[in-house]
Amino acid sequence: MPKTIKLEPHLGSEELEERYRKARDPVQRSHYQILWLISQGRTTSQVMEATGYSRGWIQQLARRYNADGPDALLDRRHQNPGARDRALLTAEQQEELAHALTKPPPDGGMWNSRKVGEWIQRRTGRVVSQKKQRGWEYLKRLRQSPKVPRPQHQKADEREQEAFKKSSR
């Protein structure tokens, strides 16, 4: 028979469900969902299937909850002491990037993830591996999106398009 994990009675099943449904932080929401499912008597395999998390992580989360209660469910990445030191850009540099994004990129065209990664590399002097990924991360952090020009058919006739635009007004 599959094993179920036993939880300390810090919170009841209803309270875990309520916190799961009200959580705004996606990581905390997932943590509450896992514990809520466990509190309903679901097996680890069923919780794995429902949430997509591994058996080891589910067990570790349950151990943390049993030891420290609901405070153990916070997203610990937010308190990571070295995260600021490992960030590619300081707060000032992020502001500078936000200002740069209001103008065309140095090579013309539109800002995309790769161009942002290259801007970061030029500005910081640090080698940025995975320029597209890191550029995308900073675009999202600044609530921007990569810009892509509208597609244009290779056989499009500009004169016909202009005539159509004028006649459709």
Side-chain angles (χ1 to χ4, degrees):
M1 180 170 183
K3 285 189 168 184
T4 57
I5 298 173
K6 302 291 183 220
L7 294 178
E8 295 293 326
H10 298 293
L11 299 172
S13 184
E14 298 81 22
E15 178 68 18
L16 287 169
E17 179 185 13
E18 184 179 335
R19 289 186 182 200
Y20 156 61
R21 299 211 184 273
K22 289 184 177 179
R24 294 287 174 238
D25 183 323
V27 173
Q28 194 172 21
R29 181 179 172 88
S30 297
H31 292 176
Y32 276 118
Q33 180 188 20
I34 289 169
L35 294 173
W36 171 51
L37 294 172
I38 292 170
S39 73
Q40 292 180 319
R42 306 268 178 102
T43 64
T44 308
S45 298
Q46 290 171 327
V47 175
M48 286 171 52
E49 189 175 319
T51 62
Y53 282 89
S54 70
R55 180 180 311 278
W57 178 246
I58 291 169
Q59 292 170 341
Q60 180 180 348
L61 186 63
R63 281 192 300 273
R64 279 179 29 196
Y65 175 75
N66 284 341
D68 300 326
D71 292 339
L73 303 181
L74 298 174
D75 184 356
R76 293 184 174 180
R77 293 176 300 176
H78 298 304
Q79 288 84 33
N80 186 341
R84 274 197 177 34
D85 298 336
R86 291 189 305 271
L88 287 175
L89 299 177
T90 65
E92 296 81 28
Q93 290 170 329
Q94 285 186 48
E95 286 181 30
E96 190 177 329
L97 174 59
H99 181 68
L101 292 173
T102 63
K103 300 174 183 160
D107 66 349
M110 302 174 134
W111 284 104
N112 60 28
S113 302
R114 180 187 49 80
K115 289 181 183 180
V116 172
E118 290 170 353
W119 183 94
I120 292 170
Q121 185 167 307
R122 280 192 312 274
R123 177 62 182 87
T124 62
R126 294 168 60 182
V127 175
V128 177
S129 60
Q130 303 175 342
K131 286 179 188 66
K132 283 177 71 174
Q133 176 64 33
R134 298 308 300 265
W136 182 84
E137 290 168 2
Y138 275 94
L139 279 171
K140 290 299 175 186
R141 189 174 293 175
L142 296 171
R143 300 185 190 281
Q144 299 283 326
S145 63
K147 306 297 185 246
V148 180
R150 292 186 75 120
Q152 189 171 0
H153 196 279
Q154 293 174 350
K155 296 179 182 177
D157 184 353
E158 272 192 50
R159 287 178 296 183
E160 284 184 28
Q161 289 177 346
E162 287 302 318
F164 176 78
K165 288 178 188 176
K166 290 179 182 175
S167 67
S168 64
R169 289 182 186 170

